[in-house]
Amino acid sequence: MSEPEHEIDTAEPAAGQPGAAPDDPQTTEKAEAATDSAQDSPQDFEGPRRRARREREERRAAQARAMAIEQARREAKRKVDGRAEPQRPAPARRVIRGLKLLMWTALLSVVVVGLGLVLYFTPVMSVRATVITGLSVLTEDEVSAAAAVPTGTPLLQVDTDAVAERVATLRRVASARVQREYPSTLRITVVERVPLVVKDFPDGPHLYDKDGVDFFTGPPPPGLAYLDTDTPGPKDPATKAALQVLTSLPPEVAGQVSRIAAPSVASITLTLIDGRTVVWGTNDRTQEKALKLAALLTQPGRTYDVSSPDLPTVK
């Protein structure tokens, strides 16, 4: 019997495998250095934030380089043209502008205050004339005396509200308005009270206006109606009701009333110049009653009852 044959492989190991012989010494050294570097330091990975920061820094650096290049180009062109170096604007220009504005504002304020002081304390714009309008019975001397504004008083020192209140203390004055008219005029506008009814008292007849204010004692004007109430006055309900009825009548009817009696709010009676009587009743539905009365007075009769405007009667 023959023994089995043993085959021995004498081929050289492949490069890069254990036991393999290197073909090129330089290649072997580079591979070993890369292997050692990879083993000595771990690989550094770049995250999104680090990448964004790096890109911003790169953009800034590029922009700075571009600006430096542009500045160098302008400087070179300026030197070639022989022009002088331009003056840079002052860094505090805004501050200077703000200081100028503040200075002018302060100067204007001083001028305004000074002008106001001059007008207030000196007779430059003082009262030299007083114009009074709206007078019918009162005289200008009466109103001027009540106003008590001396000639020569600076207009700015005149308290118009106080002057109007002093003028309104006159019994015949219903309202007063005082105005300054520069440079030297004071205007007083007066609204006088108009008598509507009269009532006899021991000291003489008293005149009352539409608001029930007793504003004058003396002879009444002709054709004025007499008021017959217990306690006449602006706060008396019966007086207010009687005056409301009288002011609601048409002028041609109101001119015929010689007396209006109101012992209470619910029993108002009118007496006409020719002696006819009007039973008015309460002061409700006043306008409607006034229209019905104007139509009834065209009919003959002695007593006209409009206390119920739905069923007016003539007797």
Side-chain angles (χ1 to χ4, degrees):
M1 295 181 61
S2 60
E3 296 179 357
E5 296 181 357
H6 297 275
E7 184 175 350
I8 300 174
D9 190 3
T10 59
E12 295 181 357
Q17 294 181 357
D23 294 336
D24 191 352
Q26 293 181 355
T27 305
T28 304
E29 291 177 359
K30 291 180 180 180
E32 291 178 354
T35 303
D36 294 338
S37 175
Q39 292 177 354
D40 293 339
S41 61
Q43 186 175 1
D44 186 15
F45 293 97
E46 184 179 34
R49 294 185 178 178
R50 184 176 297 177
R51 185 184 307 111
R53 184 166 59 251
R54 177 178 56 79
E55 291 176 353
R56 286 196 299 271
E57 293 175 354
E58 291 176 355
R59 285 196 298 270
R60 292 172 183 170
Q63 185 176 7
R65 287 195 301 272
M67 293 178 64
I69 294 172
E70 179 66 16
Q71 183 66 25
R73 184 185 65 79
R74 293 181 179 179
E75 184 69 17
K77 185 176 180 181
R78 183 187 61 79
K79 290 181 179 180
V80 172
D81 296 341
R83 292 178 298 176
E85 185 176 358
Q87 296 291 335
R88 292 186 177 182
R93 179 176 297 177
R94 293 183 180 179
V95 176
I96 296 175
R97 186 179 301 140
L99 291 175
K100 288 183 178 180
L101 180 60
L102 181 61
M103 180 185 67
W104 282 109
T105 303
L107 181 60
L108 181 60
S109 300
V110 171
V111 171
V112 171
V113 172
L115 181 60
L117 293 175
V118 169
L119 296 179
Y120 189 85
F121 290 105
T122 65
V124 175
M125 298 178 68
S126 59
V127 179
R128 295 184 177 88
T130 301
V131 178
I132 303 174
T133 59
L135 299 183
S136 177
V137 179
L138 292 172
T139 64
E140 291 188 1
D141 292 339
E142 291 176 317
V143 177
S144 298
V149 179
T151 302
T153 303
L155 280 176
L156 291 179
Q157 293 186 19
V158 176
D159 187 344
T160 55
D161 292 336
V163 174
E165 290 178 0
R166 291 197 294 267
V167 173
T169 58
L170 296 174
R171 294 177 61 189
R172 275 194 175 270
V173 175
S175 64
R177 181 184 182 189
V178 180
Q179 297 171 286
R180 303 185 190 95
E181 292 185 353
Y182 298 99
S184 58
T185 302
L186 189 68
R187 178 176 293 274
I188 303 176
T189 304
V190 175
V191 177
E192 293 186 0
R193 299 186 185 276
V194 178
L196 184 62
V197 293
V198 59
K199 184 174 177 61
D200 289 327
F201 284 92
D203 61 343
H206 287 219
L207 303 185
Y208 293 82
D209 67 353
K210 62 181 181 61
D211 297 320
V213 176
D214 179 2
F215 67 91
F216 181 73
T217 301
L224 201 63
Y226 278 83
L227 175 66
D228 188 5
T229 58
D230 296 333
T231 56
K235 296 182 179 180
D236 179 44
T239 302
K240 294 170 61 176
L243 296 177
Q244 180 183 359
V245 170
L246 200 57
T247 55
S248 68
L249 296 175
E252 62 275 9
V253 177
Q256 301 181 45
V257 178
S258 64
R259 182 180 296 270
I260 180 167
S264 68
V265 177
S267 57
I268 301 173
T269 304
L270 308 178
T271 302
L272 305 184
I273 296 174
D274 56 9
R276 291 182 293 178
T277 303
V278 178
V279 179
W280 193 273
T282 63
N283 65 335
D284 59 339
R285 302 174 66 178
T286 300
Q287 296 295 332
E288 188 176 354
K289 292 179 180 180
L291 294 176
K292 294 293 179 64
L293 178 60
L296 287 178
L297 290 178
T298 60
Q299 302 178 18
R302 299 303 300 175
T303 302
Y304 299 83
D305 191 341
V306 292
S307 58
S308 177
D310 296 328
L311 297 172
T313 61
V314 179
K315 297 179 182 180

